[in-house]
Amino acid sequence: MCHRCDYETLLEENGLNAGRNRMRVLEVIGDNEGPVSATEIHRRLIRSDPINRVTVYRILDLLVENGIVERISGEGRSFYYGLAANENHRPHPHFYCRRCGGVQCLSPGSLTVDSEPLLQTFSGRVETVAVRVVGICAHCTTSVQGKIS
Amino acid sequence: MCHRCDYETLLEENGLNAGRNRMRVLEVIGDNEGPVSATEIHRRLIRSDPINRVTVYRILDLLVENGIVERISGEGRSFYYGLAANENHRPHPHFYCRRCGGVQCLSPGSLTVDSEPLLQTFSGRVETVAVRVVGICAHCTTSVQGKIS
DNA sequence: TTCTTCTTGCAACTTAGTTGCATTCGGTGT
DNA sequence: ACACCGAATGCAACTAAGTTGCAAGAAGAA
Ligand SMILES: [Mn+2]
Ligand SMILES: [Mn+2]
Ligand SMILES: [Zn+2]
Ligand SMILES: [Zn+2]
């Protein structure tokens, strides 16, 4: 993801002007195969051109507030950022690798959840029902087999 | 939760001696109606008797390592702790309130997830499939209605 | 250009958790 | 009672991730 989204339009639709840094952040998020942490986004950006980490955090906050980017909490203490669901991207579950900490997107149909019983009985307001799959990713399982320990 | 579990036995089954602080931590976790943060556990414990926060963190690590307590990540940056699933407690989904940050246990049957399609196709090792419900809890929805803003 | 607003950088701060090391506690053996 | 040893605790310092205040710089509007 994502080669179907025009980030410039996405920003301007929300009344945000498409400055260079906002575009850069969106490109890192959209080019990655799964959600990325703020630290990782910053690390990738400073390779091409210096940018302050606070600026990255502020841009991420802005994008999340405007529903362009989705913030998800991983297994550790940091947040991960991916393109928010829209007409091009259906909501989907994520896989969290316990070993490398990476997060992968799973296909939208790979897990189905029936939330009717909950919606009937729950007294608060349910906004989202997310499925989180935890385990060891393919890359980590194979690389551990070959590891000398 | 939980008045069916004997914490002393639970500890000794795992080769841990049931010292006073371990028992106290387990009691706070088990008496709470949902998962609690380490900070909250510490805050409650120091009301009855002083205990260092590092001690709380170390006990929690130990209980998690031994499968007595389950560590879950909330919507924020901190972890929450609840009694791990066992013969008395079936696994169940949790509800996360965006407003107050609280976590509630939902009944085991309130949500059902079909993970077969994923298990057939996924190339890594799937260990757990958890459902996370996010929204505004009953307490927060009612108290907001009466709020002057 | 000048005025104003948006954007960025920097330093300091906060929160949640971790680590190293010294002290103390709870047994066990004598 | 004593010495001994490992487990448990406390304290200070440190780290990771994110936030805040404020000043400086860039970009637009007039
Ligand atoms: Mn995704
Ligand atoms: Mn629970
Ligand atoms: Zn991995
Ligand atoms: Zn609430």
Side-chain angles (χ1 to χ4, degrees), chain A:
Chain A
M1 303 200 197
C2 171
H3 308 290
R4 287 162 300 191
C5 291
D6 177 6
Y7 303 135
E8 197 160 337
T9 308
L10 216 49
L11 288 166
E12 285 164 357
E13 276 173 357
N14 286 275
L16 307 173
N17 50 19
R20 175 163 153 68
N21 284 334
R22 287 174 187 171
M23 289 294 286
R24 292 172 75 204
V25 168
L26 268 175
E27 276 156 16
V28 169
I29 292 174
D31 286 355
N32 204 60
E33 80 291 336
V36 221
S37 68
T39 306
E40 179 63 23
I41 292 170
H42 182 235
R43 186 158 36 213
R44 294 195 195 168
L45 289 179
I46 52 176
R47 291 208 286 247
S48 60
D49 225 13
I51 181 174
N52 193 275
R53 64 195 195 91
V54 179
T55 304
V56 174
Y57 280 119
R58 285 201 273 234
I59 289 174
L60 288 170
D61 286 348
L62 192 78
L63 297 175
V64 169
E65 277 163 27
N66 285 273
I68 299 170
V69 156
E70 176 187 38
R71 167 188 283 136
I72 63 182
S73 40
E75 288 298 288
R77 308 204 317 112
S78 57
F79 296 117
Y80 288 76
Y81 299 87
L83 293 180
N86 59 36
E87 56 276 358
N88 293 325
H89 306 282
R90 295 170 51 203
H92 55 267
H94 292 106
F95 176 87
Y96 302 83
C97 178
R98 277 197 308 111
R99 196 171 309 260
C100 68
V103 186
Q104 298 171 29
C105 304
L106 301 175
S107 81
S110 58
L111 284 163
T112 54
V113 47
D114 175 20
S115 47
E116 272 313 307
L118 175 75
L119 298 177
Q120 298 299 323
T121 60
F122 190 70
S123 50
R125 186 199 312 163
V126 172
E127 293 175 345
T128 65
V129 177
V131 176
R132 145 183 317 239
V133 183
V134 180
I136 309 287
C137 77
H139 179 264
C140 283
T141 46
T142 59
S143 67
V144 160
Q145 287 173 344
K147 196 183 79 173
I148 301 162
S149 60

Side-chain angles (χ1 to χ4, degrees), chain B residues 1 33-35 70 72 82-83 92-94 104-106:
Chain B
M1 302 200 198
E33 80 291 336
E70 175 188 37
I72 64 182
L83 293 181
H92 55 267
H94 292 106
Q104 298 171 31
C105 304
L106 300 175

Side-chain angles (χ1 to χ4, degrees), chain B residues 17 21-22 51-55 58-59 77:
Chain B
N17 49 18
N21 283 335
R22 287 174 187 172
I51 181 173
N52 193 275
R53 64 194 195 93
V54 179
T55 304
R58 286 200 274 234
I59 289 175
R77 308 204 311 116

Side-chain angles (χ1 to χ4, degrees), chain B residues 95-102 104 135-141 143:
Chain B
F95 176 87
Y96 302 84
C97 179
R98 276 197 307 112
R99 196 170 311 259
C100 68
Q104 298 171 31
I136 309 288
C137 77
H139 180 265
C140 284
T141 45
S143 67

Side-chain angles (χ1 to χ4, degrees), chain B residues 5 20 26 28 36-37 44-45 49 56 66 70 72 93 100-101 105 107-108 123 129 131 134 138 143:
Chain B
C5 291
R20 173 162 155 67
L26 268 176
V28 169
V36 223
S37 69
R44 293 193 195 169
L45 290 179
D49 226 14
V56 174
N66 285 271
E70 175 188 37
I72 64 182
C100 68
C105 304
S107 80
S123 50
V129 177
V131 177
V134 180
S143 67

